[in-house]
Amino acid sequence: SADDLTKIGTPVNDIRKAMGINDRFYFQRELFDNDNTAFNNTLDQINSMSSYNQAYQHLKNKFAWDESLNETEEFLRAVRRRFL
């Protein structure tokens, strides 16, 4: 619904466009142990995937993120925007 879209944001063709610069530093620090290479490789992988479910499963298998944490929720929201 349109209401769901306002919570997630507008569709983007590059996940980086779903994140401000401060968000990027925040995610890199909180979710990727400040590893810029791992962070950027993951964004490239997400961009190359064909669905949110594929990206979500990849992230779930690769990282042991606590999905109740704000940073994980925010990151997954950005991932969702990539596949709207």
Side-chain angles (χ1 to χ4, degrees):
S1 74
D3 185 44
D4 292 339
L5 268 183
T6 55
K7 287 189 200 114
I8 298 169
T10 53
V12 292
N13 61 357
D14 177 343
I15 188 171
R16 287 172 179 84
K17 292 179 182 161
M19 305 171 181
I21 189 77
N22 291 338
D23 293 333
R24 280 190 237 173
F25 284 119
Y26 173 65
F27 294 140
Q28 185 176 301
R29 186 182 68 236
E30 298 299 322
L31 298 174
F32 294 88
D33 293 326
N34 237 350
D35 184 337
N36 183 262
T37 304
F39 179 57
N40 280 301
N41 287 346
T42 299
L43 297 183
D44 288 339
Q45 288 166 341
I46 289 167
N47 277 335
S48 73
M49 292 178 181
S50 55
S51 71
Y52 174 74
N53 278 348
Q54 185 186 12
Y56 176 76
Q57 285 306 321
H58 171 75
L59 294 169
K60 205 167 166 60
N61 293 339
K62 192 165 182 180
F63 304 103
W65 293 338
D66 179 346
E67 289 189 44
S68 69
L69 293 176
N70 188 52
E71 55 267 28
T72 309
E73 281 182 23
E74 294 288 319
F75 189 79
L76 290 175
R77 187 173 298 132
V79 174
R80 228 175 261 121
R81 279 184 67 188
R82 169 66 186 83
F83 298 105
L84 286 175

